[in-house]
Amino acid sequence: MTFLVTGGAGFIGTNFIRYWLENHPQDKIVNLDRLTYAGDRKNLTDLENSSRYQFVKGDIGNQGLANQLMKEAEVVVHFAAESHVDRSIENPEVFLQTNILGTFNLLEAALKNKIKRFHYISTDEVFGELPLGTKEKFNEETKFDPHSPYSASKAGADHLVLSYYHTFGLPITITNCSNNYGPYQYPEKFIPRMITNILDGKKIPIYGDGQYVRDWLYVTDHCRAIEAVLRWGKPGQTYCVGGLTKDVSNLSLAKMILKIMGKGEEYLEFVVDRAGHDRRYAVDWNKIKKELGWKPKETIKSGLVKTVFWYQQNESWWREKKKEAEEFYQKLAAKKI
Ligand code: NAD
Ligand code: DAU
């Protein structure tokens, strides 16, 4: 089968393309990516000699290009997005442009070209936040209540994707996944920011009181979940994907990473909180487990050890990206003072 993957030069898309080509030797992938600050074509240059992989630089909002690429594709896996909450607070417009209008453009092209499956990668952030200290979890029935421009733009796209199923019969599926971590994650995000700060001998910035909870999932487990949905998922269905069964606060996570890297708590630094910071995310992934037989393989410990090792071994990959990310954070901090 031929796949069109969007945003495959980013973190999850890169891991997905590697995973898919390794495990599905008969399939081909075309990777459409605009190469924003978050995309790096070099992530997959080793595959560019293969007849099974092609990189195309372009915007998902480009109608002619989307149509042309979908003529050859049977399946679309749509990752491309502006993905960072802090940047959406600073500059929301591009989030609406890419995440909503870009998705709309892809849906139109998918319909025209009779795509067999359009899979949209969404987030658990569309559900808003949960209270601390409860056992409540997000599931497929949870009402949408997005709090940031990022999550609002993702939620808008979720609705749009579902509408193309109900109105036009486009065979869509959606995964609403929790926080991913692992190799190739841009160092603006919490886990790679912590690891690269420690490698640079710098402190870890903890927003607010550090008592915020995310449901961490190792990226390869997310790729396996997408695979399960593409193989066995039913058109028109959404599937929640998460990694943990017990809450881990940001502060505990930071301490776990410090321990793995052999450093002490003097590396912790509490900083000004994010505006509208969601308290707690936790995902009930029983539906995908029961219906499609998926569950995460990595524990938080094993996933973090692999991730720390990857960043230790790949400084040339993250060094320039870290400079860009920290310049963004410096400008943000100057505004908060
Ligand atoms: P990322 O920011 O690392 O990568 C995004 C990629 O999309 C980049 O390669 C970028 O160049 C590309 N892109 C951005 N705008 C584009 C456009 N207009 N046209 C073409 N390409 C464009 O993001 P990620 O963390 O890999 O996330 C991938 C998807 O998964 C996103 O849709 C995100 O909302 C979703 N998601 C992410 C997480 C997470 O924890 N990272 C969790 C749940 C869902
Ligand atoms: O839940 C899924 C979402 O997870 C995805 O949809 C998003 O694309 C992805 O970016 C991620 O969003 P978060 O905002 O949860 O991730 P981030 O890595 O930015 O932050 C994780 C937590 O860590 C959050 O509570 C904020 C906190 N944090 C973050 C940074 C960068 C800090 O305390 N210090 C930091 O320096």
Side-chain angles (χ1 to χ4, degrees):
M1 274 206 292
T2 301
F3 282 57
L4 175 64
V5 169
T6 70
F11 162 49
I12 308 175
T14 291
N15 281 283
F16 176 79
I17 290 174
R18 286 200 177 284
Y19 176 85
W20 196 272
L21 290 178
E22 261 169 47
N23 290 284
H24 301 270
Q26 66 286 17
D27 290 343
K28 290 184 183 163
I29 293 183
V30 176
N31 174 12
L32 170 63
D33 197 296
R34 193 181 115 198
L35 299 182
T36 65
Y37 76 96
D40 188 345
R41 180 175 177 169
K42 292 197 293 300
N43 290 356
L44 296 168
T45 35
D46 57 311
L47 299 178
E48 287 194 21
N49 290 329
S50 159
S51 58
R52 298 174 55 222
Y53 173 73
Q54 187 194 349
F55 177 78
V56 176
K57 182 170 188 238
D59 197 311
I60 55 167
N62 180 333
Q63 218 175 62
L65 184 59
N67 256 315
Q68 182 198 322
L69 296 177
M70 283 197 212
K71 282 198 177 87
E72 308 297 323
E74 291 154 281
V75 176
V76 175
V77 186
H78 173 31
F79 293 93
E82 289 293 334
S83 70
H84 192 33
V85 175
D86 287 322
R87 291 191 202 242
S88 81
I89 298 167
E90 281 306 284
N91 179 20
E93 196 175 334
V94 65
F95 284 73
L96 307 193
Q97 200 68 42
T98 288
N99 299 1
I100 301 182
L101 292 177
T103 301
F104 164 66
N105 189 50
L106 293 175
L107 287 166
E108 283 286 293
L111 203 54
K112 239 183 229 150
N113 291 285
K114 299 189 171 47
I115 288 297
K116 287 190 183 136
R117 176 67 71 82
F118 184 100
H119 183 71
Y120 171 57
I121 311 296
S122 192
T123 169
D124 62 350
E125 294 199 16
V126 298
F127 303 122
E129 65 178 347
L130 297 165
L132 263 190
T134 65
K135 291 206 184 311
E136 272 180 64
K137 292 196 174 198
F138 300 134
N139 64 35
E140 291 76 8
E141 307 303 320
T142 307
K143 188 167 92 45
F144 278 23
D145 184 21
H147 290 175
S148 71
Y150 162 70
S151 52
S153 69
K154 291 296 288 185
D158 282 54
H159 288 308
L160 210 50
V161 172
L162 274 168
S163 81
Y164 271 66
Y165 170 75
H166 291 294
T167 307
F168 305 113
L170 185 71
I172 66 93
T173 39
I174 299 177
T175 36
N176 292 94
C177 185
S178 62
N179 287 63
N180 285 218
Y181 66 101
Y184 298 103
Q185 188 168 32
Y186 199 81
E188 66 190 351
K189 305 282 166 55
F190 190 37
I191 288 183
R193 191 178 188 204
M194 288 194 273
I195 297 171
T196 52
N197 269 21
I198 298 166
L199 290 172
D200 278 346
K202 294 195 176 127
K203 292 189 176 188
I204 297 175
I206 305 287
Y207 292 175
D209 58 9
Q211 297 308 318
Y212 290 88
V213 171
R214 297 293 182 266
D215 186 339
W216 297 100
L217 177 72
Y218 191 69
V219 64
T220 311
D221 280 328
H222 186 187
C223 297
R224 291 176 42 251
I226 299 166
E227 179 184 44
V229 173
L230 289 174
R231 278 180 153 178
W232 303 298
K234 292 196 188 94
Q237 292 292 305
T238 69
Y239 298 88
C240 283
V241 184
L244 300 180
T245 44
K246 277 191 191 146
D247 280 8
V248 174
S249 70
N250 289 347
L251 192 56
S252 314
L253 185 74
K255 288 180 184 172
M256 287 167 92
I257 290 179
L258 285 170
K259 198 168 170 207
I260 290 169
M261 297 181 75
K263 302 290 179 198
E265 291 185 17
E266 67 280 7
Y267 273 81
L268 298 170
E269 183 181 34
F270 290 87
V271 299
V272 180
D273 210 345
R274 170 185 282 173
H277 197 172
D278 286 337
R279 232 342 140 180
R280 172 175 175 261
Y281 304 151
V283 173
D284 171 356
W285 37 271
N286 260 308
K287 176 178 172 182
I288 187 169
K289 184 177 170 218
K290 277 194 191 139
E291 293 185 9
L292 312 183
W294 175 89
K295 62 177 181 184
K297 281 186 178 165
E298 297 291 342
T299 64
I300 182 81
K301 178 94 189 294
S302 66
L304 285 178
V305 167
K306 285 185 179 177
T307 307
V308 167
F309 182 72
W310 191 85
Y311 282 88
Q312 282 168 335
Q313 300 298 307
N314 288 282
E315 182 181 342
S316 61
W317 181 87
W318 56 261
R319 179 54 67 195
E320 275 303 304
K321 296 175 176 69
K322 181 155 187 71
K323 190 165 167 269
E324 190 281 336
E326 290 307 321
E327 279 167 10
F328 163 76
Y329 280 120
Q330 269 166 22
K331 280 192 206 137
L332 196 65
K335 280 194 180 171
K336 282 179 178 170
I337 290 167

